[in-house]
Amino acid sequence: MLPANTPLYSHPLPQIEEWLKNQGCQQDRNELHCWHITKPTWKAELWLDVEQITVRYFQAGQNNQDIQRSFKYSLTRKDIEQAIFAGP
């Protein structure tokens, strides 16, 4: 695995997938670019898009609305990890 301060776009896809697994994510069997994660206080879905990683936290906003955020692959793995896995 490349250092955590390396931009995510520098990581090969197998390393990104391993990183997501290590964070507790599970890959969707039908949509391989989609990942799911469940934590004690939140649930989310992540998409590996062409230019960014997008996360949607389920029922995390006002009136139980979903919250969606996107992070460019130019950010470091550490920054994206802290932003996504800290929760909504």
Side-chain angles (χ1 to χ4, degrees):
M1 183 73 72
L2 293 171
N5 62 350
T6 304
L8 201 61
Y9 63 65
S10 295
H11 293 68
L13 183 58
Q15 283 189 4
I16 293 172
E17 291 176 340
E18 186 65 28
W19 167 67
L20 291 171
K21 288 176 189 172
N22 290 340
Q23 298 301 319
C25 297
Q26 295 180 341
Q27 192 171 27
D28 190 288
R29 293 178 190 195
N30 298 318
E31 297 184 64
L32 299 179
H33 68 284
C34 184
W35 294 75
H36 305 277
I37 185 165
T38 302
K39 295 286 187 178
T41 56
W42 54 270
K43 287 189 346 184
E45 192 172 69
L46 288 81
W47 297 277
L48 299 178
D49 292 326
V50 174
E51 296 183 4
Q52 62 195 16
I53 185 168
T54 301
V55 59
R56 180 174 56 183
Y57 301 99
F58 296 109
Q59 299 179 346
Q62 290 182 335
N63 302 320
N64 287 330
Q65 291 180 324
D66 294 348
I67 296 174
Q68 185 167 315
R69 298 186 180 125
S70 297
F71 304 95
K72 296 283 185 190
Y73 291 126
S74 57
L75 293 170
T76 67
R77 189 181 82 234
K78 180 181 177 184
D79 288 342
I80 292 175
E81 186 173 308
Q82 290 175 339
I84 291 176
F85 299 108

